[in-house]
Amino acid sequence: MNFIPNSAIKNNMLKETGLKDIEELFLDIPKQIQIKKLNLQKGLSQQETEQKLREISNKNRPTNNMPSFLGGGIKPHYIPPAVKSIISRAEFYTAYTPYQPEASQGFLQAMFEYQSIIAEITGMDISNASLYDGATALGEASLMCSRINQKKTFVIPQNISWEKKSVLKNYTKGSGIRIKEISYDDETGKINLEELKQSVDNDTTGVYVENPNFFGVFEDGVEEISEIVKDPGSLFVVGVDPVSLGIVKSPGEYGADIVIGEGRSFGNTMDFGGSSLGIFACRNEFLRQMPGRIIGMTKDLDGRRAFCMTLQTREQHIRRGKATSNICTNEGLCALTAVVYLAWLGGNGLEELSRVNFERGQKLVKLISSIDGFEKRFMGIHFNEFVIKSKTDTNKVNKELLKKDVQGGLSLGRWYPELRDCMLFGVSEMHTDKDIEKLVSALEEVSHV
């Protein structure tokens, strides 16, 4: 990054905005997480500063140098060079979030094909051209349910990530929607069906179920859940790990009304923010209540095939009272990446990817469970994530694993006190037999500490 002296410009901007100093711009950030200044020695030259920062950044441990088995959603997945090459083309890479009607035909066609693929793998009639991430897709789904049936209670399982709960809470603030949590079965890790039956009533606008759920377990009673949800006229919202859709039934086959998910695993990088992709699909009858935008295929005046932005429900383009969402960005490049990745993968490739992830998950849980001091926590069938109960303090286990150059599972006690002795592990096609052997060997050593 180039250094540009800007003191005079900064002072003019502060004067124009009526601020005393730069710090006033960051008052909304809680003080406990603010960094007042970088811990750098004064008087360093630019070259010395860059060298110092390089030394600091070298402390990072990328997953290709240290295998990570951290569960909780974001895991390493293989990204073919062809995907990076295509999305790096200038006409794509500079396309921020083209909401404008004059978006290029090439990009519009890519979004049309993205919608087609997402609708097909989720088993739904239609898909939008993506949202910001999986968490905001959940927030949008709750609002959409309430717009459709005018009810005000949205039911979620206890075992979804705390980040999603936080985003959902923010999204529904001021809407009058109440969030109700239902527990999970202590033995299987699946949703508590009896509690679900008691919780769904005539005021329930929708019920959200993840499959596989946050513990990695498949909800094999989804048809029964669908019947329970729809009996009083509520909507069935299903959250998916899209990688799993290569080997399991699509949500559309068991009655989902809305399907959402995090699509980062489709060719997007694993980093902090920016690379997430909110999948959002639904039944055709809810088309005009769906947030985001829809790209359609049509013909131009000469009868040639053409693509156009058919529906977009942002408040910037229609009357505010008619807007279904005010979401202002979705990183179209991430959706483009997903469609390039899926086109490269193909149907057989998605099935193979899904199968490999499932098989590695089954293999790893058996190996870890065979180690003294570790056992599988839930009885349900899992995909590529699973919960392990540990006799040794989970934080201690992870610290010991880090000393052996392995990142272990996610300690669940912070958010689920009843699971304070449990860790959520995740595995993918990126984990080799050597990586798995390294983790198992390290856990065997840790179990004797």
Side-chain angles (χ1 to χ4, degrees):
M1 183 168 66
N2 296 326
F3 173 71
I4 303 173
N6 64 354
S7 296
I9 299 173
K10 183 184 75 175
N11 291 335
N12 283 337
M13 292 177 71
L14 288 173
K15 185 178 179 181
E16 288 293 325
T17 54
L19 300 176
K20 294 179 182 177
D21 53 43
I22 294 291
E23 299 303 318
E24 286 193 40
L25 292 172
F26 306 111
L27 288 177
D28 290 337
I29 300 175
K31 288 185 178 179
Q32 60 268 30
I33 62 171
Q34 286 188 22
I35 299 174
K36 292 297 181 184
K37 61 179 182 179
L38 294 176
N39 185 24
L40 290 174
Q41 183 182 347
K42 289 184 178 179
L44 293 178
S45 67
Q46 184 171 348
Q47 180 180 350
E48 291 169 330
T49 302
E50 288 181 4
Q51 180 61 32
K52 181 66 177 176
L53 294 176
R54 197 172 295 114
E55 290 173 5
I56 295 172
S57 67
N58 286 339
K59 293 180 181 177
N60 291 327
R61 304 295 304 278
T63 55
N64 52 0
N65 291 338
M66 181 177 70
S68 170
F69 294 88
L70 198 66
I74 306 298
K75 290 181 290 302
H77 287 284
Y78 179 65
I79 303 175
V83 174
K84 292 183 178 178
S85 176
I86 291 173
I87 66 166
S88 298
R89 289 171 61 101
E91 63 268 39
F92 291 144
Y93 219 57
T94 56
Y96 166 55
T97 175
Y99 273 97
Q100 296 76 15
E102 61 272 21
S104 72
Q105 280 295 298
F107 192 82
L108 290 173
Q109 180 179 354
M111 293 301 97
F112 180 83
E113 292 178 359
Y114 165 86
Q115 293 169 181
S116 303
I117 292 176
I118 295 301
E120 183 172 351
I121 64 174
T122 58
M124 304 306 289
D125 299 323
I126 51 175
S127 160
N128 69 10
S130 84
L131 293 177
Y132 189 70
D133 60 15
T136 52
L138 174 58
E140 293 286 354
S142 68
L143 297 176
M144 178 172 160
C145 288
S146 189
R147 284 196 301 272
I148 292 171
N149 58 25
Q150 305 298 309
K151 299 178 181 180
K152 292 296 182 182
T153 302
F154 191 71
V155 177
I156 62 172
Q158 180 192 2
N159 56 336
I160 67 173
S161 76
W162 46 95
E163 290 96 344
K164 284 182 183 173
K165 289 181 185 178
S166 176
V167 172
L168 177 62
K169 184 179 177 183
N170 282 333
Y171 251 82
T172 54
K173 191 180 294 181
S175 68
I177 296 176
R178 295 176 293 277
I179 307 299
K180 180 188 287 186
E181 286 189 28
I182 55 174
S183 65
Y184 58 87
D185 186 286
D186 187 59
E187 290 189 4
T188 65
K190 303 176 202 170
I191 194 168
N192 187 324
L193 288 181
E194 289 304 314
E195 191 171 332
L196 177 65
K197 291 176 184 175
Q198 296 169 7
S199 299
V200 175
D201 56 29
N202 291 330
D203 188 52
T204 303
T205 184
V207 174
Y208 175 63
V209 174
E210 293 187 341
N211 194 27
N213 63 32
F214 182 68
F215 298 147
V217 179
F218 282 116
E219 295 283 353
D220 50 14
V222 281
E223 285 87 359
E224 184 179 358
I225 293 174
S226 180
E227 291 177 6
I228 295 170
V229 172
K230 295 189 176 183
D231 185 50
S234 309
L235 295 171
F236 186 22
V237 183
V238 177
V240 296
D241 175 350
V243 174
S244 71
L245 296 177
I247 57 169
V248 299
K249 277 186 178 179
S250 68
E253 293 178 85
Y254 50 82
D257 296 299
I258 300 171
V259 180
I260 63 173
E262 173 54 61
R264 181 193 290 250
S265 52
F266 284 163
N268 286 290
T269 54
M270 187 173 67
D271 49 31
F272 283 114
S275 300
S276 289
L277 170 66
I279 290 173
F280 200 107
C282 68
R283 293 199 278 128
N284 191 51
E285 63 190 275
F286 304 137
L287 170 66
R288 290 189 175 276
Q289 294 300 335
M290 184 164 62
R293 57 189 171 167
I294 296 177
I295 310 303
M297 184 170 69
T298 182
K299 293 182 179 179
D300 65 12
L301 290 175
D302 298 322
R304 296 174 300 188
R305 187 179 71 163
F307 298 90
C308 65
M309 205 167 289
T310 304
L311 289 174
Q312 47 183 331
T313 53
R314 295 175 71 200
E315 61 189 23
Q316 290 166 317
H317 302 283
I318 59 177
R319 284 180 295 168
R320 178 164 294 190
K322 298 291 184 181
T324 59
S325 170
N326 69 347
I327 194 164
C328 294
T329 183
N330 81 325
E331 296 135 327
L333 187 64
C334 298
L336 175 69
T337 304
V339 73
V340 172
Y341 173 83
L342 288 166
W344 173 84
L345 202 62
N348 291 336
L350 180 60
E351 181 182 347
E352 175 69 9
L353 174 69
S354 187
R355 184 185 59 77
V356 170
N357 273 257
F358 176 76
E359 290 177 351
R360 299 238 164 123
Q362 308 310 303
K363 176 181 179 179
L364 185 58
V365 76
K366 285 180 182 175
L367 289 171
I368 296 178
S369 300
S370 67
I371 303 171
D372 184 37
F374 299 99
E375 62 178 299
K376 185 180 176 184
R377 176 62 176 80
F378 297 115
M379 300 306 294
I381 298 173
H382 66 273
F383 182 49
N384 61 359
E385 296 193 344
F386 51 88
V387 177
I388 290 290
K389 183 178 180 181
S390 169
K391 286 184 179 178
T392 308
D393 179 78
T394 58
N395 293 317
K396 184 178 179 181
V397 169
N398 279 333
K399 285 181 181 177
E400 292 299 319
L401 290 178
L402 286 174
K403 293 177 183 176
K404 302 177 186 303
D405 294 329
V406 183
Q407 186 171 25
L410 180 69
S411 294
L412 293 174
R414 179 178 173 186
W415 300 277
Y416 298 94
E418 72 278 14
L419 299 176
R420 57 186 175 279
D421 54 357
C422 293
M423 310 166 75
L424 179 62
F425 284 87
V427 67
S428 75
E429 77 280 1
M430 291 295 284
H431 294 91
T432 63
D433 288 343
K434 188 177 178 182
D435 293 332
I436 291 175
E437 288 169 8
K438 186 174 184 178
L439 170 67
V440 173
S441 175
L443 284 172
E444 286 174 339
E445 292 182 39
V446 170
S447 67
H448 294 101
V449 172

